[in-house]
Amino acid sequence: MYIIVVGAGAIGSQVIDLLTRTQNEIVVIETNTEIAEQVSRDYDCLVLNSDATIKDTLIDAGADQADAVITTTDQDATNIMVMLLAEELEVESKVSVVQNPDHMEIFRRIGVNVLENPQRLIGEYLVRAVQRPSVKDFMSLAGEAEVFEITVTEDSPVAETTLQKADSAGLLGTDVLVVAIERGEEVLTPRGDTVIHAGDLLTVFSKEGVTGEVMYTFTGKNE
């Protein structure tokens, strides 16, 4: 893929590092001269020390052949402007970091895939790690819905029973779905006759999020 990355700061540098490890052609646009020079030294990619909010800069970066533009700056105004130019230049895929949640809808209106304020997400993960230590990972969806990973304990009411029996007993509810089961080195696709064992790492979808009731189902505790 041909990808333009705008911004090479804390987030952008990680994106660049990941992309250059694969077979992608990368162009980086960075306004800070020192950072631009450092990226040029560290990575095998074209770096433009320029302003991506200027249309000619994106043209020079090869927007006409780009598969995607990723903006990672800490200024929503900059990211929005770049995304608008990318839309005008008919770049197929547009991805951006969004610092202010109030601006999410603006990005979505112009067809941008968005990542909410990374600092806020990190804070949310840290709080969740304290409040819900049994939850290993999670992703928030629309509304209150979440997809999360949780380890089944021996005290769980669903331990050593099949998904079908757990569902019939009302332990899962209509808004909770077990998506995958990781057991040792094996990943299982859940079926009605699949038995859940203590120690299984489950990937779960819950329309109401990780509620106390959901926690009790898989751990025997409300937290």
Side-chain angles (χ1 to χ4, degrees):
M1 295 181 69
Y2 189 107
I3 303 173
I4 299 172
V5 179
V6 178
I11 299 172
S13 60
Q14 296 298 317
V15 172
I16 295 164
D17 184 66
L18 290 170
L19 288 175
T20 52
R21 292 171 184 265
T22 57
Q23 294 182 345
N24 294 297
E25 187 173 355
I26 312 300
V27 178
V28 178
I29 304 175
E30 169 58 54
T31 56
N32 184 293
T33 302
E34 291 184 4
I35 294 177
E37 291 176 350
Q38 185 66 49
V39 172
S40 293
R41 289 192 294 268
D42 292 344
Y43 299 100
D44 181 19
C45 63
L46 173 64
V47 181
L48 302 181
N49 180 204
S50 189
D51 184 355
T53 64
I54 299 173
K55 186 176 180 179
D56 285 346
T57 300
L58 289 176
I59 293 174
D60 290 342
D64 61 323
Q65 58 182 312
D67 296 296
V69 173
I70 303 174
T71 55
T72 69
T73 82
D74 58 3
Q75 299 295 320
D76 281 348
T78 297
N79 295 334
I80 289 171
M81 186 62 196
V82 174
M83 291 291 99
L84 286 169
L85 290 173
E87 175 70 10
E88 183 180 342
L89 293 167
E90 300 182 346
V91 178
E92 182 177 353
S93 180
K94 300 175 289 298
V95 182
S96 182
V97 168
V98 181
Q99 302 296 331
N100 186 339
D102 292 340
H103 297 158
M104 297 283 278
E105 186 58 30
I106 298 174
F107 283 87
R108 290 193 176 112
R109 285 178 187 174
I110 54 178
V112 180
N113 291 324
V114 294
L115 171 65
E116 191 178 351
N117 185 322
Q119 285 73 33
R120 181 184 178 86
L121 290 176
I122 291 171
E124 191 174 347
Y125 268 83
L126 292 174
V127 171
R128 180 64 64 89
V130 172
Q131 295 178 333
R132 304 274 198 243
S134 297
V135 176
K136 306 305 179 185
D137 198 3
F138 74 97
M139 178 177 66
S140 297
L141 304 176
E144 300 296 324
E146 290 182 319
V147 174
F148 58 94
E149 292 183 342
I150 189 167
T151 300
V152 177
T153 69
E154 293 182 354
D155 296 327
S156 164
V158 300
E160 313 314 320
T161 189
T162 66
L163 285 171
Q164 186 174 27
K165 289 181 179 179
D167 186 47
S168 298
L171 295 173
L172 296 178
T174 58
D175 294 331
V176 177
L177 177 67
V178 177
V179 180
I181 301 174
E182 186 175 338
R183 185 175 296 159
E185 299 298 320
E186 189 177 10
V187 177
L188 307 175
T189 300
R191 314 234 180 243
D193 60 354
T194 302
V195 178
I196 301 174
H197 297 306
D200 284 350
L201 179 63
L202 308 183
T203 300
V204 180
F205 165 81
S206 173
K207 189 174 180 180
E208 302 301 324
V210 189
T211 63
E213 183 178 354
V214 170
M215 289 294 297
Y216 179 78
T217 295
F218 298 108
T219 68
K221 298 179 181 179
N222 292 324
E223 57 181 22

